[in-house]
Amino acid sequence: MENNKKALVLLNMGGARRKDELKLFLTNMFNDKNIIAAPKLIRKMIAFFITTSRLNSAWKNYEEIGGFSPLNPLTEKLVDKVNENIKEYKTYQVMRYTPPFAKDVIEDMKKDGIEEVVLLPLYPQFSTTTTKSSLEDFKAYAKDSFKIKTKGTFYKNEAFNKCIIEEIKEKTNSQAGEFNLIFSAHGLPQKIVDKGDPYEKQMNKHVKILSKMLEEEGQNFKSINLAYQSKVGPMKWLDPSLDDMLENFKDENVIIYPIAFTVDNSETDFELDIEYREIAEEIGVKEFRVCKCVNDSDMFIEAIKDMIKFK
Ligand SMILES: C=CC1=C(C)c2cc3[nH]c(cc4nc(cc5[nH]c(cc1n2)c(C)c5CCC(=O)O)C(CCC(=O)O)=C4C)c(C)c3C=C
Ligand SMILES: [Fe+2]
Ligand SMILES: [Fe+2]
């Protein structure tokens, strides 16, 4: 039944569409208290320093994938398809570090007469740096404008995990026995984990769930592993790094699944498919395949329907 008073909001990080938007992305990210836990003024200085020193080298990476992050167009495709298939809600997207920002989308939602909202951050595992940051941002601008329900994690959702298994099977051509599978997660500073961020624990549980499902499906990989990509700066980040993990697979075939994302982005298209591919070649990895994220696959739309049931 169509009910135009209910909204589903898909929240994601945002991505650069141009160089000036990469500057905005980095500035907003490093001004986020969930990313840099320092007093506001110091955080502002750190954000300015990191953005200035990182912008040109980071932009070169985006140039190698066509001059923009695929995260925005892919999220838009996902939103369109959810709108076509889930009529009970009007679906919107909100990004954390690039437009469309929460404050603007919330104004549109008020104009559209929305009364009830389901928030679904597009991160399977909860992190204070991603999920909490997006939810806080939305709620700070929404105040008490809507009745809000939240879906904070979905790594345990069976329908979602079936989508992941499908993406993996597609890349191996169901020849699992010839590959070592590496679930590659975006890294996180150890300090944030030590302060109680549940991301690492949920990641370990997620890999366990997926390993069991693969085994039940007869997808018997030579090995199943978890590693962390994308370290930024000199601090200690979660172990093992993807660089170190790849060292184990000289003369072997490797398949990577980007487990922390639902939509392809610069970390999958550039970092995994270009940068880590080069590292793997140097190490002597035989075949190096990178799976697609679930993106706007039909199965993921069905999984979203299931996630927002609130039994
Ligand atoms: C302290 C820095 C960072 C933390 C903590 C962090 C956590 C984190 N990030 C993602 C998902 C994505 N990150 C992306 C890009 C990106 N991330 C950082 C830094 C931290 N991330 C930077 C500086 C960048 C920009 C690119 C670069 O300069 O390296 C993206 C890609 C966006 C895009 O443009 O396509 C995603 C997605 C998760 C899940 C996460 C928490 C664990
Ligand atoms: Fe990141
Ligand atoms: Fe990165």
Side-chain angles (χ1 to χ4, degrees):
M1 197 179 64
E2 202 151 334
N3 180 348
N4 292 325
K5 294 195 164 49
K6 282 164 85 174
L8 169 62
V9 181
L10 307 181
L11 301 111
N12 210 343
M13 179 157 286
R17 279 163 277 226
R18 301 172 301 276
K19 190 174 179 183
D20 63 300
E21 245 188 31
L22 181 59
K23 190 173 174 190
L24 181 70
F25 178 99
L26 295 171
T27 304
N28 285 338
M29 168 176 262
F30 292 108
N31 268 301
D32 182 347
K33 64 180 188 308
N34 290 294
I35 298 277
I36 306 280
K40 201 171 176 180
L41 199 64
I42 296 180
R43 201 165 60 235
K44 250 189 140 169
M45 285 161 62
I46 296 174
F48 178 78
F49 175 75
I50 302 180
T51 302
T52 310
S53 60
R54 198 173 174 87
L55 181 62
N56 286 334
S57 64
W59 178 246
K60 282 203 186 94
N61 303 345
Y62 288 79
E63 281 182 329
E64 288 204 37
I65 54 169
F68 62 94
S69 162
L71 189 139
N72 298 304
L74 289 173
T75 308
E76 271 158 33
K77 266 179 89 178
L78 175 64
V79 169
D80 288 348
K81 204 157 161 185
V82 172
N83 265 322
E84 276 162 31
N85 287 279
I86 307 182
K87 297 289 185 196
E88 197 190 341
Y89 298 88
K90 182 166 165 63
T91 299
Y92 301 80
Q93 57 159 325
V94 165
M95 296 293 177
R96 182 67 183 91
Y97 303 131
T98 60
F101 291 123
K103 67 175 187 336
D104 301 318
V105 178
I106 286 167
E107 288 312 312
D108 290 345
M109 289 166 66
K110 286 184 194 166
K111 280 183 204 143
D112 291 346
I114 299 297
E115 290 171 2
E116 289 179 36
V117 177
V118 172
L119 297 180
L120 176 62
L122 290 172
Y123 305 103
Q125 312 83 14
F126 186 102
S127 171
T128 55
T129 59
T130 53
T131 321
K132 174 173 170 275
S133 174
S134 279
L135 293 174
E136 263 180 13
D137 177 52
F138 186 92
K139 288 176 183 173
Y141 287 109
K143 300 209 170 71
D144 50 8
S145 306
F146 318 109
K147 192 171 162 235
I148 296 179
K149 280 188 198 161
T150 299
K151 184 75 190 171
T153 64
F154 50 86
Y155 69 94
K156 288 183 183 167
N157 184 282
E158 197 177 350
F160 170 63
N161 286 329
K162 281 186 179 158
C163 306
I164 295 181
I165 306 281
E166 271 316 296
E167 296 299 337
I168 294 173
K169 274 171 138 176
E170 205 169 289
K171 267 286 168 223
T172 58
N173 250 333
S174 294
Q175 301 290 305
E178 293 174 20
F179 287 88
N180 297 280
L181 173 62
I182 305 176
F183 287 108
S184 180
H186 192 298
L188 199 62
Q190 186 64 45
K191 228 170 104 181
I192 294 179
V193 179
D194 294 343
K195 277 199 285 182
D197 191 295
Y199 178 78
E200 185 189 22
K201 274 198 191 119
Q202 294 192 3
M203 197 58 79
N204 286 326
K205 282 190 198 156
H206 197 187
V207 170
K208 245 189 192 162
I209 294 168
L210 290 166
S211 303
K212 189 158 173 271
M213 284 175 78
L214 285 165
E215 196 189 315
E216 281 165 4
E217 290 240 353
Q219 300 294 308
N220 297 311
F221 285 91
K222 285 180 95 173
S223 67
I224 299 182
N225 313 271
L226 169 62
Y228 293 91
Q229 67 184 87
S230 327
K231 183 179 186 296
V232 183
M235 284 184 307
K236 183 175 174 349
W237 281 49
L238 283 172
D239 278 335
S241 70
L242 184 52
D243 311 52
D244 287 346
M245 178 62 68
L246 287 171
E247 295 281 355
N248 299 330
F249 298 117
K250 185 174 172 357
D251 297 327
E252 301 259 348
N253 299 326
V254 164
I255 175 154
I256 307 276
Y257 187 81
I259 189 170
F261 312 126
T262 43
V263 174
D264 283 313
N265 57 78
S266 65
E267 308 287 304
T268 56
D269 287 15
F270 173 74
E271 202 168 75
L272 288 175
D273 223 1
I274 297 178
E275 211 168 35
Y276 281 105
R277 180 181 297 285
E278 280 168 15
I279 293 172
E281 271 166 19
E282 275 165 31
I283 290 169
V285 170
K286 248 196 323 196
E287 252 215 76
F288 181 83
R289 295 187 188 173
V290 180
C291 294
K292 287 279 159 209
C293 291
V294 296
N295 291 323
D296 66 339
S297 67
D298 293 348
M299 280 179 85
F300 186 44
I301 307 294
E302 289 307 307
I304 290 177
K305 270 188 202 166
D306 192 55
M307 285 172 203
I308 58 176
K309 271 185 190 155
F310 294 99
K311 285 142 207 157

